[in-house]
Amino acid sequence: MADLHVHPDRLEIHLTRAEKVLSVRREDLVIPRESIRSVAITEDPWIWIRGIRAPGAAVPLTLSVGTWKFHGGKDFLLIKGKQRAAVVVDLDGEEFSRVIVSTPHAAKLVEALRVGVGEIPADGEVID
């Protein structure tokens, strides 16, 4: 599962080697905090998927990893499992319009993103 790192100025999503292969992506995702428009927790990430897979991998209701293109842009999905909470991050002015990541630590991630910039340690907070 991807490692999530919250820093004062950015959110980093470190993909595993398998996730990089499945998503046809060579690099991790780095999202500047000023680009984050909203963050929400969902118990059913599958209803948030929009568009078609291009490129990426998908097994219906089990796995969605990669880029999904829709009429208004692109989303990045990293959804695993049928009954796992996920975080939906809406973005402005970035490569992706939305990033959806399933994680058992969804509440902790949302809380870390809400904390004021001055309250996060300089080395960031790791959310596994």
Side-chain angles (χ1 to χ4, degrees):
M1 175 167 298
D3 287 331
L4 306 169
H5 298 261
V6 178
H7 295 275
D9 61 338
R10 68 193 181 282
L11 167 64
E12 295 179 356
I13 302 173
H14 296 275
L15 304 172
T16 64
R17 190 170 299 192
E19 290 165 346
K20 287 181 181 178
V21 169
L22 290 172
S23 67
V24 191
R25 186 173 180 87
R26 293 183 180 179
E27 298 186 12
D28 298 325
L29 272 77
V30 178
I31 302 167
R33 294 216 22 186
E34 63 268 4
S35 297
I36 297 174
R37 187 177 57 196
S38 67
V39 180
I41 297 175
T42 181
E43 292 298 322
D44 187 6
W46 306 104
I47 64 172
W48 290 83
I49 296 175
R50 56 188 177 180
I52 59 170
R53 174 179 48 90
V59 177
L61 300 178
T62 305
L63 174 76
S64 291
V65 179
T67 302
W68 264 247
K69 293 182 181 179
F70 64 99
H71 182 64
K74 300 186 296 185
D75 293 343
F76 186 82
L77 307 180
L78 186 55
I79 305 173
K80 297 178 185 176
K82 294 181 181 178
Q83 304 206 350
R84 181 176 295 169
V87 176
V88 180
V89 181
D90 286 316
L91 306 170
D92 274 335
E94 291 297 314
E95 176 184 4
F96 299 108
S97 300
R98 180 181 288 165
V99 174
I100 304 173
V101 180
S102 61
T103 175
H105 309 289
K108 187 175 179 183
L109 175 61
V110 170
E111 186 61 33
L113 289 171
R114 285 186 187 163
V115 172
V117 172
E119 299 178 37
I120 297 177
D123 59 345
E125 182 175 343
V126 177
I127 302 170
D128 291 323

